[in-house]
Amino acid sequence: MIDVGTYIEHFINWLTANFSGFFDGVNYGMTNFIGGVEAFWVWMPFYVTIALMAGLAFWRAGIGNGFLTLLGLLFIYAMGYWDQTMQTFALVLSSTVLALALGIPLGIWSARSQTANRIIRPILDFMQTMPAFVYLIPAVLFFGLGTVPGAFATIIFAMPPVVRLTSLGIQQVPEDIVEATKAFGATSRQLLVKVQVPLAMPSILAGVNQTIMMALSMVVIASMIGAKGLGEIVLQGISQLRIGMGFEGGLAVVLLAIILDRITQHLGKSK
């Protein structure tokens, strides 16, 4: 028998022992980044946040989605879970920003290099098919308990869609447009920035939408290792058999997911 788990355990222990300084630095940076985002949204008066998000939904997604956002956020506030919702929103926002910062360049690299594509694709398959709970184990070993390991696990779980859809969008740019751009003397950088990325933007934004949705689903699971927010409410409801509390936390997650989905779906569409 091949005891793969033992080798993985030795590898994780080796990383923890030899790169503890690196993980401490990442932990410090992410704690400050996520803490700053969370402090901002929790500090912001609820009526200002609701007005901003409802206005954005009305502007980008239409009057119906604007009212949906307004009523959904007012309902969450009325249930008494506003601070937890903002903590979840801050964690989703932070994790999504970091996932996009890593994922979009990887998607571009994958689209422009067959070698990179052959390396990245099986890694993405692995990341997407691995049960989400498994990511919590190395996250805790590297960063301990709290928000940072939750964000780390969320980034890994949520990053594959934006890598795949960025790569797909660039690969689907018509070849005649690429050839015409090259014929006019465009450099590789100009071709990417001025032609391929703009034409691939609908696909990239679809990846952004999927990354946000997957991040939101993961932050609830991340509450098991100390991430704050609505996941804590759901977890308390389960552990204490308080069905009402668990349902309210789940309902707030659903409303937040619908609102973010409706807004991000329409970001790339022209008015």
Side-chain angles (χ1 to χ4, degrees):
M1 292 180 64
I2 302 176
D3 194 356
V4 178
T6 301
Y7 293 113
I8 296 294
E9 188 174 335
H10 287 320
F11 179 64
I12 296 294
N13 290 336
W14 178 81
L15 284 177
T16 306
N18 292 279
F19 293 92
S20 59
F22 170 75
F23 292 125
D24 289 344
V26 173
N27 194 358
Y28 179 78
M30 288 182 69
T31 298
N32 286 313
F33 175 60
I34 298 170
V37 175
E38 181 182 314
F40 174 79
W41 287 107
V42 171
W43 166 80
M44 181 90 76
F46 77 93
Y47 48 85
V48 176
T49 303
I50 292 175
L52 285 175
M53 295 187 72
L56 179 62
F58 177 78
W59 175 45
R60 298 306 308 176
I63 187 169
N65 288 312
F67 276 114
L68 173 69
T69 302
L70 178 65
L71 294 177
L73 292 177
L74 284 174
F75 186 69
I76 291 173
Y77 179 78
M79 286 195 297
Y81 295 126
W82 184 255
D83 285 350
Q84 292 89 342
T85 302
M86 289 299 100
Q87 289 170 339
T88 296
F89 179 63
L91 186 55
V92 169
L93 192 62
S94 306
S95 302
T96 301
V97 167
L98 294 173
L100 297 180
L102 295 170
I104 291 177
L106 282 176
I108 293 172
W109 187 31
S110 176
R112 293 164 70 91
S113 167
Q114 285 300 317
T115 303
N117 188 40
R118 282 193 288 269
I119 295 172
I120 291 173
R121 190 187 300 172
I123 296 174
L124 296 177
D125 294 338
F126 179 86
M127 292 166 68
Q128 284 191 295
T129 52
M130 179 66 72
F133 290 94
V134 177
Y135 293 127
L136 302 182
I137 302 170
V140 170
L141 292 174
F142 292 152
F143 304 109
L145 297 174
T147 302
V148 172
F152 174 79
T154 303
I155 291 167
I156 295 176
F157 184 71
M159 193 168 58
V162 75
V163 178
R164 290 187 190 280
L165 288 169
T166 299
S167 177
L168 179 66
I170 291 178
Q171 288 174 345
Q172 287 184 334
V173 173
E175 192 61 30
D176 55 340
I177 295 178
V178 174
E179 293 300 325
T181 306
K182 289 179 178 177
F184 279 105
T187 64
S188 178
R189 183 174 178 278
Q190 290 172 327
L191 172 65
L192 174 67
V193 174
K194 296 186 177 180
V195 177
Q196 290 177 314
V197 169
L199 291 177
M201 195 54 71
S203 180
I204 294 173
L205 289 174
V208 173
N209 173 270
Q210 290 303 302
T211 296
I212 292 173
M213 292 299 103
M214 294 189 73
L216 189 54
S217 68
M218 187 63 191
V219 294
V220 176
I221 297 173
S223 66
M224 296 177 66
I225 55 174
K228 298 177 181 177
L230 293 170
E232 274 186 309
I233 304 300
V234 176
L235 192 61
Q236 287 177 16
I238 294 172
S239 60
Q240 300 172 10
L241 294 179
R242 297 173 63 179
I243 300 172
M245 174 188 280
F247 182 80
E248 287 176 349
L251 184 59
V253 171
V254 170
L255 288 172
L256 185 61
I258 292 173
I259 291 167
L260 294 178
D261 179 62
R262 296 296 184 272
I263 293 175
T264 54
Q265 269 188 3
H266 292 80
L267 282 181
K269 296 180 180 177
S270 58
K271 299 292 293 179

